[in-house]
């Protein structure tokens, strides 16, 4: 099964879970269901299968989220989080305002931070920023794009979410220049 087929299959699973009652936040933030959690279980790779809302990426320095460049196969060097997982932008986002909540955020967890994001390994400091989400969390941006990981990437170096159309728009990995990786 090629990477696009895997991505489509995973997105179908995420949608089925949302319909079954694992998601459905309207983005208003009023449900209180998206709170910080240190649990390692999630609908996309955890132990229990229950949805665990996204949390800020763990780093050596509490409250700091690092954005780096890492190799993602045929795409070459792209932005990655502190664990080496590929970071994506979403064409449905309006400027720095995220459009990805509920089931979307289950499949495409936003890269959150508790402090100012820090560049590492070739990422540019002047491209990094943050934006407030409707649930009150702070999401990392790069070149004005909110950043997300993809539940279909199960190990560092994968980019199964690149050039995927899901939740109403396309998703692309970003290069250090802030441009989308086409591969």
């Amino acid at each position: 099964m090629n990477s696009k087929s895997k991505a489509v299959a995973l997105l179908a699973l995420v949608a089925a879970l949302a319909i079954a009652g694992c998601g459905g936040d309207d983005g208003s933030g009023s449900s209180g269901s998206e709170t910080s959690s240190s649990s390692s279980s999630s609908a996309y790779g955890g132990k229990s299968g229950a949805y665990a809302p996204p949390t800020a990426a763990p780093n050596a320095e509490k409250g700091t989220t690092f954005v780096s460049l890492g190799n993602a196969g045929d795409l070459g060097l792209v932005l990655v989080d502190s664990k080496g997982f590929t970071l994506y932008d979403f064409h449905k986002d309006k400027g720095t305002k995220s459009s990805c909540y509920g089931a979307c955020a289950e499949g495409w967890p936003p890269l959150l931070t508790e402090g100012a994001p820090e560049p590492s390994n070739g990422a540019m400091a002047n491209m990094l920023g943050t934006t407030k989400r409707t649930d009150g969390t702070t999401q990392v941006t790069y070149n004005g794009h909110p950043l997300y990981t993809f539940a279909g990437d199960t190990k560092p170096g994968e980019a199964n979410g690149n050039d995927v159309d899901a939740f109403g728009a396309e998703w692309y990995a970003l290069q250090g220049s802030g441009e989308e990786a086409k591969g």
Side-chain angles (χ1 to χ4, degrees), residues 38-88:
S38 60
S39 170
S40 64
S41 47
S42 72
Y44 44 84
K47 297 175 185 170
S48 73
Y51 171 65
T55 59
N59 291 289
E61 185 178 331
K62 176 126 175 87
T64 303
T65 300
F66 292 93
V67 174
S68 304
L69 290 179
N71 191 12
D74 294 341
L75 297 179
L77 289 177
V78 297
L79 295 179
V80 298
D81 68 6
S82 60
K83 295 179 181 177
F85 284 87
T86 301
L87 295 170
Y88 301 89

Side-chain angles (χ1 to χ4, degrees), residues 101-139:
Y101 292 88
C104 177
E106 290 179 41
W108 301 86
L111 180 63
L112 302 178
T113 188
E114 295 173 1
E118 293 289 331
S120 178
N121 194 37
M124 293 188 253
N126 65 338
M127 297 255 197
L128 278 172
T130 61
T131 187
K132 284 288 184 191
R133 294 175 56 81
T134 60
D135 62 7
T137 58
T138 302
Q139 186 171 1

Side-chain angles (χ1 to χ4, degrees), residues 88-170:
Y88 301 89
D89 74 344
F90 183 36
H91 281 202
K92 193 172 180 180
D93 290 344
K94 304 292 186 232
T96 60
K97 183 172 173 56
S98 175
S99 298
C100 184
Y101 292 88
C104 177
E106 290 179 41
W108 301 86
L111 180 63
L112 302 178
T113 188
E114 295 173 1
E118 293 289 331
S120 178
N121 194 37
M124 293 188 253
N126 65 338
M127 297 255 197
L128 278 172
T130 61
T131 187
K132 284 288 184 191
R133 294 175 56 81
T134 60
D135 62 7
T137 58
T138 302
Q139 186 171 1
V140 178
T141 63
Y142 196 83
N143 196 27
H145 302 285
L147 297 177
Y148 306 85
T149 56
F150 178 50
D153 291 342
T154 59
K155 61 186 177 191
E158 292 183 338
N160 296 319
N162 192 60
D163 196 15
V164 169
D165 188 4
F167 296 99
E170 294 80 26

